[in-house]
Amino acid sequence: MLEALDTWHFGKVLYAYRTHPHHGRVLSQDVVADWLGLTQAQLSRIENGAAPQDLGKLMQWAHSLGAPADLLWFKLPRAKHQAPRRAAAAKTEPIQSGAQGGLLLPVVINGHSVMVPVDARTLAESGLGSLLDQPDSSKEHEAMSPLNRRAVLKGGIAVAALPGLGLEEIQHVAAALDDARRYMDGPVVEYLRRQIAACKSDDGSLGPKKTLPVMLGLLGAIEEHARDVRPAVRRELLTIGADGAEFAGWLYRDIHQPLQAGHWYDRAMEWAQEANDQAVQGYVLLKKSQMAYDERDAVRVLTLAEAAGQPHWQLPLKVQAEVAQQQARGFAMLGDPMDDVERALGEAHHLLTQHEGASIDATPHLSPHYNRANLMLQTASCYIEAGQPARAADLYGTVLEGDALSRRDQGYFLARRACSLALAGRPDDAASVGLAAVELSDATNSLRTKRELARAMATLQPWATRPGPRELREALRA
């Protein structure tokens, strides 16, 4: 069961539960489906298909199975603490920490649950904070009444207010969630854009397991509302949805779930095509090339990077630089001449210099953190693939001495440096760097970092009995 829960795939959890020896016999799909309010065919699709993303359904199924809340990758409502007078609004309990210290509140729209993030300032300014913290207080009615009836959607579930907005604006957002075709407009779209940006900002320090639930809630809200709006607004929603879906793909890469990452990359491409966003389409091809590198699929690394480099995508200069660097990595992996690798890296440096000389970045959401330090780090990975690990280790060390990286990226590239040091025949240095990476990978829940550490450990096998490698092996097993 623990292994199934660690996959973040509720279908696998259901299968593990049905077949667990504790029952004495395998529970049929018909029986479990009936418990969950599903058909046998629906349960079969859940068990064998892509991981379900609807948090409302996940919470319902978890409650039905009695799954311990501390083993789940999302939080359950604390219904047992609610007072009777709040029964009608029971589903407004906080589900998951959101961006900037906020909460996710579930909202039911036309029978579908979507998660809306609310930050701490929103709770204080709208009065929802006192509503949640003091369920038996006489202030409950006063806190809710200013939102008027539009603040309560079908089923009596309270809608969340947006941060930093006044009463009239809060009412406007509530109306937008209730009637997207009439009220979904610029301010609501801009709010969703800001929340995605906040998730990206928080990811480097919080890690994917805290960021991903918020991101999936936002994407659920975008997908739900995009069905019922005017075409111009739908294109706006899909534009920011494509950006968010690409980021969700990255988060799934970080926890090493390539199937889910591929799903969200495909969704990002589909939405970008419908929104006629050329740049994001090329950008997703770049990200797919990078995912192919995670799997060490050299041919796809290069062909996807070359596809991303086609001029019709009209990529901004810094993304073109990243594409050129990715092509260099593909050349190195395929054993092409070092002149080809260096030529592509030189093109990347030239493009990045041009970008740095520009006064305005019109696409800050594409390659938001790509800079000179990132290019040096990726150049180091090219040197590893080209059989020059000592050169790579020196480059990694130069960048890691600064403070340009997030905690998660610091851990990942420490692990990469440990690999390069091991390949260069410096086992004690590799083990020391690897131990620092272990600490950061645990703090940020980055399975991607742990995979690199496993590679380093495999390379250190000839020195397995030395104190440093032995200590690293024990830390990885802990």
Side-chain angles (χ1 to χ4, degrees):
M1 285 301 301
L2 289 174
E3 290 178 359
L5 287 160
D6 282 344
T7 67
W8 286 25
H9 189 312
F10 212 92
K12 298 184 185 299
V13 174
L14 291 170
Y15 177 80
Y17 180 84
R18 287 196 308 104
T19 59
H20 198 284
H22 171 78
H23 304 300
R25 60 182 177 84
V26 173
L27 300 177
S28 70
Q29 287 185 333
D30 287 313
V31 169
V32 176
D34 185 59
W35 294 349
L36 304 178
L38 302 169
T39 66
Q40 181 274 328
Q42 287 173 324
L43 180 58
S44 178
R45 285 195 294 271
I46 291 167
E47 289 186 354
N48 297 294
Q53 306 297 331
D54 189 320
L55 291 179
K57 291 179 181 178
L58 294 179
M59 289 184 286
Q60 175 189 339
W61 299 337
H63 273 305
S64 298
L65 296 185
D70 60 336
L71 297 181
L72 298 171
W73 60 98
F74 52 90
K75 290 187 179 178
L76 297 175
R78 293 170 295 187
K80 64 182 180 180
H81 299 306
Q82 294 171 334
R85 67 186 297 177
R86 292 186 64 206
K91 293 183 182 178
T92 63
E93 283 292 332
I95 303 305
Q96 171 69 40
S97 295
Q100 300 175 351
L103 306 168
L104 279 180
L105 302 184
V107 178
V108 173
I109 302 173
N110 295 330
H112 298 280
S113 294
V114 297
M115 305 300 291
V116 178
V118 190
D119 62 21
R121 185 175 63 180
T122 298
L123 296 175
E125 292 181 356
S126 67
L128 286 174
S130 60
L131 172 66
L132 294 175
D133 294 337
Q134 303 176 42
D136 295 319
S137 169
S138 61
K139 295 180 180 179
E140 179 179 307
H141 176 72
E142 296 173 5
M144 286 296 295
S145 59
L147 299 180
N148 75 35
R149 59 181 180 158
R150 279 185 180 160
V152 181
L153 301 182
K154 299 174 179 65
I157 298 179
V159 70
L162 303 189
L165 300 184
L167 176 58
E168 291 184 4
E169 292 160 310
I170 290 173
Q171 292 171 339
H172 178 82
V173 171
L177 293 173
D178 195 22
D179 187 350
R181 180 168 290 275
R182 284 187 64 189
Y183 296 101
M184 182 69 72
D185 57 11
V188 181
V189 172
E190 182 57 31
Y191 167 72
L192 294 169
R193 190 193 311 276
R194 290 199 309 270
Q195 290 299 310
I196 290 174
C199 284
K200 289 184 177 182
S201 177
D202 290 343
D203 169 50
S205 57
L206 298 180
K209 288 195 175 181
K210 291 185 178 179
T211 306
L212 189 53
V214 182
M215 197 64 238
L216 294 178
L218 287 165
L219 291 171
I222 289 169
E223 185 170 27
E224 183 70 31
H225 302 325
R227 300 171 184 171
D228 302 313
V229 296
R230 298 182 300 276
V233 178
R234 177 176 173 83
R235 282 189 286 272
E236 285 188 71
L237 282 172
L238 293 183
T239 295
I240 62 173
D243 180 39
E246 179 277 314
F247 180 58
W250 152 247
L251 292 172
Y252 274 113
R253 278 177 58 201
D254 200 23
I255 58 173
H256 189 47
Q257 291 199 18
L259 291 178
Q260 289 304 309
H263 165 81
W264 283 109
Y265 282 150
D266 289 343
R267 180 63 60 85
M269 181 67 81
E270 176 188 335
W271 284 350
Q273 289 171 338
E274 186 175 347
N276 196 30
D277 191 327
Q278 297 290 325
V280 167
Q281 294 175 59
Y283 188 61
V284 171
L285 289 171
L286 168 63
K287 295 304 171 182
K288 286 191 170 190
S289 172
Q290 292 171 348
M291 187 167 73
Y293 181 69
D294 294 342
E295 304 301 322
R296 298 303 190 265
D297 188 340
V299 173
R300 292 187 74 243
V301 168
L302 182 58
T303 57
L304 284 165
E306 290 178 332
Q310 296 302 308
H312 57 262
W313 301 126
Q314 300 177 359
L315 292 172
L317 289 168
K318 65 177 177 179
V319 180
Q320 291 181 46
E322 193 171 6
V323 169
Q325 161 258 296
Q326 187 68 3
Q327 290 175 359
R329 186 149 60 181
F331 292 144
M333 294 177 75
L334 290 170
D336 288 354
M338 196 63 194
D339 286 349
D340 291 343
V341 177
E342 296 287 6
R343 175 183 50 78
L345 289 173
E347 178 67 11
H349 280 276
H350 174 68
L351 289 164
L352 193 57
T353 298
Q354 286 185 293
H355 162 72
E356 291 168 343
S359 57
I360 298 176
D361 184 359
T363 55
H365 60 292
L366 300 182
S367 296
H369 306 298
Y370 196 74
N371 54 26
R372 193 67 58 179
N374 292 113
L375 178 52
M376 289 177 65
L377 291 168
Q378 301 303 341
T379 297
S381 77
C382 293
Y383 291 151
I384 290 178
E385 301 301 337
Q388 300 181 17
R391 193 176 177 187
D394 290 342
L395 261 183
Y396 281 133
T398 298
V399 179
L400 290 166
E401 286 175 357
D403 57 357
L405 303 178
S406 68
R407 291 177 70 213
R408 191 264 322 284
D409 288 350
Q410 184 85 5
Y412 175 73
F413 287 109
L414 280 169
R416 293 287 289 159
R417 184 166 193 247
C419 284
S420 62
L421 288 166
L423 288 167
R426 296 165 57 183
D428 295 330
D429 290 339
S432 177
V433 171
L435 285 168
V438 169
E439 183 177 349
L440 286 171
S441 70
D442 289 339
T444 58
N445 297 302
S446 177
L447 296 184
R448 184 166 163 261
T449 301
K450 291 179 180 178
R451 289 186 75 208
E452 290 301 323
L453 286 167
R455 288 191 176 101
M457 200 67 250
T459 307
L460 286 170
Q461 188 59 36
W463 302 279
T465 59
R466 294 175 70 96
R470 187 170 63 248
E471 185 179 359
L472 177 59
R473 183 172 60 252
E474 292 170 356
L476 287 171
R477 289 175 175 174

